Amino acid sequence: MLSVAGCGGGGSSVGNTTPPPTGSNVQAITVDSGPTVVANSSNPAINTLYTTVKICVPGTSTCQDIDHIQIDTGSSGLRIISTVLTLSLPLQKDSNGNTVAECVHFVDGSSWGPLRLADIKIADEVASNQQVQIIGDSAYQTIPNDCIGTATAENTVTAFGANGILGVGPFLQDCGSSCVTAGGAVYYTCTSSTACTDSGMPLTRQLTNPVTAFATDNNGVIIQLPTVNGTTSSVSGSLIFGIGTQGNNGLGNAKVFTVDDSGSLSTTYNNTSLSHSFIDSGSNAYFFPDSTIKQCGSKAKGFFCPSATLNLSATIVGRSGTSAAVSFSVTSAESLLGTGTVVAAASNLAGSSADINTSNGTLSQTFDWGLPFYFGRNVYTAIETKNTSAGMGPYFAF
Amino acid sequence: MNIKAIGVLGWLAAGVLASQAVCLPARATLGEDVATVENDRVQMKAQLRTTTVAGYTVHEIETPANTVVREYVSASGKVFAVSWSGPLLPDFRQTLGRYFDEYNSGASAPRVGRRHLSIERTDLVVNSYGHMRAFYGNAYVPSLLPPNFSVSDIQ
């Protein structure tokens, strides 16, 4: 069942909290070092959650399984790096017949490519004729200047750290109302593959959370991962589609934490309310402001390197006021990652979301509950406008 | 021209704002003169409000997509820090100006963090965090920080 137990070096272990669920809505997921080119690089993936997605030319049985697609509750929509794609997918068109391309913003980079159409199959669920962003598409190599200006380009598997990303966050579309009018350097219409112009994009043509296009189990997802004690080389878990739609996806005793229209909730840490906090499977550590914790050196810039493991607590507060105290530990990133063995999962990895030179006070109002938060929990993501037994999304529950 | 001057810490006279508004230099921003703030405002099709704190001035620019960019200007007239918050990232070529290449170099170097960015170089510090629909961050030039300025004042 959990064959990964004991794989990691340095006193690691993976605990088993519940038997793996089964059903037509259950997809196997893994934390490992990433696609081969990433795993073998100087920068293998850490705390990155992956799955395999099947995509097909719409309405056909011409399909391809693509592994190491990152699962991200911090975004919406499926994106695939062009170099791993062997299918020829049709281009999405706007109402004028022009093609549509996107410069998607992530915190650490932006990725450029057109929207194409595909049938997306995950577990036994199907999202037919959906937009998929093809990042680094060979036909769209001219990146507009205002896209180049948004952030560093992440248009290859190595730069992206994955073969693609499956955004299953709490929103129907990736960008939403901010992209309905032009000017944000996100959506572009293209009169040719080299002539793309920043344009407003109606919600219905923006990249869509594919879960919402499933015939059933379309109101959210559950990510279920075992406890990780220390470090390990791989972890296996489940991505379960739907909330309260089947016998295997009920909320049970989980508490609901509503989020605002940007996906944020609050976290109280060290008696400070951090109002721009969020839960995000796509972040690979806990990131929070604490100028009293020693920073790492150049090998792990931005991470914490306390001399001994710290046992800490913070309280997550939903926008509707629900709260829960969460305990977590922080171990030196340099000691976690410098063991000489393969480390793909590290439960105590944390870094600063404040300025790294801050000596008095903090800058950040952000507590980023990244993938380590998911270890040993069932974390529910309910999608906006979708009903669940605990009310309408957007919310997280655990 | 749609300038509104609001804020909690202090005010610049409208006349000062107006006199800045006529300057449209071609370059911006971090490390540049205060006049480039207006260039940024125009480039970002944004609104501007200004507050003055002891020893420095904060120019707050809000883009049509509701991303707020704050530019911190020293008494000597240099933009020594910028910060951003909002649903989309700002144009860093515009806001970081001559430091954009260094930002790019730091951001594209191998790193442990994902969906989180810390760059610390001799003449540029960048912190970027958040997620889709909610981006936050700041950048500053350590050598340009005014005396007695704490980086915790960058909001």
Side-chain angles (χ1 to χ4, degrees), chain B residues 111-128:
Chain B
R111 62 179 189 277
V112 177
R114 280 279 156 192
R115 306 300 173 233
H116 180 264
L117 184 61
S118 289
I119 299 170
E120 186 180 16
R121 301 198 165 198
T122 306
D123 54 352
L124 179 67
V125 175
V126 179
N127 298 282
S128 189

Side-chain angles (χ1 to χ4, degrees), chain A residues 37-52:
Chain A
V37 293
V38 175
N40 291 343
S41 75
S42 63
N43 197 30
I46 307 285
N47 288 342
T48 307
L49 183 61
Y50 297 106
T51 194
T52 296

Side-chain angles (χ1 to χ4, degrees), chain A residues 8-47:
Chain A
S12 52
S13 67
V14 175
N16 189 1
T17 51
T18 51
T22 56
S24 61
N25 60 336
V26 179
Q27 171 77 3
I29 58 178
T30 309
V31 180
D32 63 21
S33 297
T36 305
V37 293
V38 175
N40 291 343
S41 75
S42 63
N43 197 30
I46 307 285
N47 288 342

Side-chain angles (χ1 to χ4, degrees), chain A residues 60-131:
Chain A
T60 76
S61 56
T62 303
C63 302
Q64 180 186 2
D65 287 333
I66 302 180
D67 62 25
H68 285 103
I69 300 290
Q70 185 180 7
I71 300 169
D72 182 21
T73 59
S75 70
S76 291
L78 177 63
R79 308 167 202 278
I80 294 168
I81 309 294
S82 63
T83 50
V84 301
L85 184 68
T86 58
L87 300 177
S88 179
L89 299 172
L91 287 157
Q92 152 103 335
K93 301 280 180 64
D94 73 0
S95 54
N96 297 318
N98 296 318
T99 60
V100 176
E102 187 177 9
C103 174
V104 60
H105 302 185
F106 290 108
V107 163
D108 51 352
S110 62
S111 299
W112 168 255
L115 302 193
R116 294 180 180 272
L117 297 169
D119 293 345
I120 302 167
K121 300 182 179 180
I122 317 171
D124 289 340
E125 313 280 3
V126 180
S128 297
N129 207 34
Q130 293 297 296
Q131 307 104 316

Side-chain angles (χ1 to χ4, degrees), chain A residues 43 74-75 79 104-108 145-146 148-152 154 159-160 165 171 173-176 178 184 186 261-262 264 276 278 282-284 287 299 301-303 337 352-358 360 363-364 366, chain B residues 45 64-66 85 87-94 100 103-120 125-136 138 140 142 150-155:
Chain A
N43 197 30
S75 70
R79 308 167 202 278
V104 60
H105 302 185
F106 290 108
V107 163
D108 51 352
N145 278 334
D146 46 4
I148 290 171
T150 55
T152 292
E154 291 188 344
F160 204 76
I165 192 165
F171 296 109
Q173 298 91 17
D174 59 349
C175 186
S178 301
V186 177
D261 60 7
S262 71
S264 300
H276 301 317
F278 53 99
S283 297
N284 66 352
F287 293 106
K299 286 181 184 169
K301 185 63 70 187
F303 285 82
L337 306 178
S352 175
S353 65
D355 184 274
I356 46 183
N357 278 352
T358 301
N360 54 344
L363 306 176
S364 165
T366 298
Chain B
K45 301 180 178 65
N66 300 118
S85 66
L88 302 176
L89 290 170
D91 188 331
F92 287 124
R93 287 173 316 164
Q94 185 70 31
F100 177 69
Y103 158 81
N104 245 337
S105 166
S108 57
R111 62 179 189 277
V112 177
R114 280 279 156 192
R115 306 300 173 233
H116 180 264
L117 184 61
S118 289
I119 299 170
E120 186 180 16
V125 175
V126 179
N127 298 282
S128 189
Y129 37 86
H131 56 101
M132 191 173 276
R133 298 190 180 206
F135 294 95
Y136 309 97
N138 55 78
Y140 63 89
S150 164
V151 288
S152 64
D153 291 335
I154 306 173
Q155 293 176 344

Side-chain angles (χ1 to χ4, degrees), chain A residues 172-184:
Chain A
L172 296 168
Q173 298 91 17
D174 59 349
C175 186
S177 58
S178 301
C179 292
V180 170
T181 52

